[in-house]
Amino acid sequence: MPEFLDLHSKTTKVLRALVETAMRRHGLHQGQDHLLAALWERDGSTPGEIAAVLHVTTPTVVKMATRMSAVGLLTRRRDEHDNRLVRLWLTDAGRALREPVEAERRSLEEKITADLTETERRHLMIALTKVYKSGSDLL
Amino acid sequence: MPEFLDLHSKTTKVLRALVETAMRRHGLHQGQDHLLAALWERDGSTPGEIAAVLHVTTPTVVKMATRMSAVGLLTRRRDEHDNRLVRLWLTDAGRALREPVEAERRSLEEKITADLTETERRHLMIALTKVYKSGSDLL
DNA sequence: AGGCAATCGTTAGACGGCAAACGACTAGGA
DNA sequence: TCCTAGTCGTTTGCCGTCTAACGATTGCCT
């Protein structure tokens, strides 16, 4: 078992669990906060655009959008000029979650990196970025 | 969007894709290599034991075991002395995958960390370990 | 003007992962 | 001895994610 892959895998599981319980407090599932974030930044984006921003496939966004629409976080509406396009629009409920969810996420990040010195944190970001780059190039 | 959580999330997606395509070459899905690794280390383990080692829930192991058994990588057999327990045993096919899969994983780890200096790599492991610890304590 | 290729969203099906409910078996206490 | 509590594996149902196939619409090119 290679060291880094194994450690990263374990860390991923722990972080997922933490994010899941943190977001559940706001009625969200893991990943839905990212979708909302995309709309907070650009309301009325299309599923394809969001998928690109989130590094995820279009079907994933479509499914999530369906569920989130059922819970009243956003609405679907076809583009007026191009009937192929669909645009996702935030509801008031979806907009209202911005502050609390962003705060929740910041809080979690702080707790998670609390044991790191500023130097360690910087080195971690630099090294992880390199890994991310190498990985992306291999795709 | 907190920096670390976001970067870690993106890295996870990339790594998952890489592991997936690497393991598909051996007829495996993401995560099945971990299950096999547990059996390579202790053949005849129970689903519960494996779940604990993999940091995963028991139902997850049960589902994977069902699929992997259908493909002939392992077999299910009830424990002779305790009929509640089920033990998973490797088939020859499952055993034969050990060398190639471990080599594949080592190769991927090398490619992924190729751009890191030895110092960077060490710092990355130390920092990630701290994050993992902090996260585990928060669970 | 008409047809064909490109562009989108959606559906279907598979997999890893989780929580909750269920069922079978064991073991310990009254 | 019997009954109850604890221990397991399994089933069910949901979510995120991917690939592949499908359907609808637009736009260009002849």
Side-chain angles (χ1 to χ4, degrees):
Chain A
M1 287 294 116
E3 297 182 67
F4 171 69
L5 280 179
D6 211 44
L7 176 57
H8 184 275
S9 164
K10 288 194 303 181
T11 306
T12 296
K13 289 194 178 71
V14 170
L15 289 186
R16 176 190 306 178
L18 287 174
V19 171
E20 179 73 36
T21 67
M23 288 308 152
R24 196 190 304 275
R25 278 197 281 274
H26 306 276
L28 296 180
H29 290 276
Q30 151 84 23
Q32 298 188 341
D33 55 331
H34 289 117
L35 175 32
L36 285 182
L39 291 181
W40 290 332
E41 208 58 41
R42 258 183 64 186
D43 200 8
S45 296
T46 68
E49 290 169 352
I50 297 178
V53 172
L54 302 191
H55 300 99
V56 154
T57 62
T58 308
T60 297
V61 174
V62 169
K63 275 193 182 179
M64 289 178 58
T66 301
R67 292 177 186 124
M68 293 170 74
S69 151
V71 203
L73 291 172
L74 52 85
T75 63
R76 263 190 174 83
R77 207 180 314 151
R78 301 214 81 99
D79 186 289
E80 303 177 6
H81 306 304
D82 189 338
N83 252 307
R84 288 172 299 186
L85 268 27
V86 162
R87 302 204 167 272
L88 304 180
W89 299 94
L90 289 167
T91 61
D92 289 342
R95 244 184 309 270
L97 254 55
R98 176 162 195 171
E99 292 308 328
V101 163
E102 287 183 344
E104 187 83 56
R105 225 176 149 72
R106 271 193 305 270
S107 156
L108 181 56
E109 165 116 6
E110 282 173 21
K111 289 182 196 160
I112 281 299
T113 57
D115 283 2
L116 272 56
T117 67
E118 194 47 46
T119 309
E120 282 177 328
R121 196 180 170 293
R122 217 178 50 246
H123 286 168
L124 173 59
M125 294 298 290
I126 292 175
L128 243 195
T129 301
K130 282 194 177 184
V131 169
Y132 173 64
K133 273 269 188 257
S134 298
S136 300
D137 293 344
L138 285 175
L139 274 184
Chain B
M1 289 290 116
E3 298 183 66
F4 171 69
L5 280 179
D6 210 44
L7 176 57
H8 184 275
S9 165
K10 289 194 303 181
T11 307
T12 296
K13 288 194 177 73
V14 170
L15 289 186
R16 176 189 304 177
L18 287 174
V19 170
E20 179 73 36
T21 66
M23 288 308 153
R24 196 190 304 274
R25 277 197 280 275
H26 305 277
L28 295 180
H29 289 278
Q30 151 85 21
Q32 298 189 340
D33 55 331
H34 290 117
L35 202 165
L36 284 181
L39 291 181
W40 290 334
E41 209 58 43
R42 259 183 65 186
D43 201 6
S45 296
T46 69
E49 290 169 351
I50 297 178
V53 173
L54 302 191
H55 300 99
V56 154
T57 62
T58 308
T60 297
V61 174
V62 169
K63 273 193 185 180
M64 289 178 57
T66 300
R67 290 177 186 126
M68 294 170 74
S69 151
V71 202
L73 291 172
L74 52 83
T75 63
R76 262 192 175 83
R77 207 181 314 153
R78 297 213 84 96
D79 185 291
E80 302 178 5
H81 306 303
D82 190 337
N83 252 307
R84 287 173 299 187
L85 302 188
V86 162
R87 301 203 168 273
L88 304 180
W89 299 95
L90 288 167
T91 62
D92 289 342
R95 245 184 308 270
L97 255 54
R98 176 162 195 172
E99 293 308 328
V101 163
E102 288 182 344
E104 187 82 56
R105 225 176 148 72
R106 272 193 304 270
S107 157
L108 182 55
E109 165 116 6
E110 283 173 20
K111 289 183 198 161
I112 280 298
T113 57
D115 283 1
L116 272 57
T117 65
E118 192 47 43
T119 308
E120 283 177 329
R121 197 178 170 292
R122 217 178 49 246
H123 286 168
L124 173 59
M125 294 298 291
I126 291 175
L128 243 194
T129 301
K130 282 193 177 182
V131 170
Y132 172 65
K133 273 269 188 252
S134 298
S136 300
D137 292 345
L138 286 174
L139 237 39

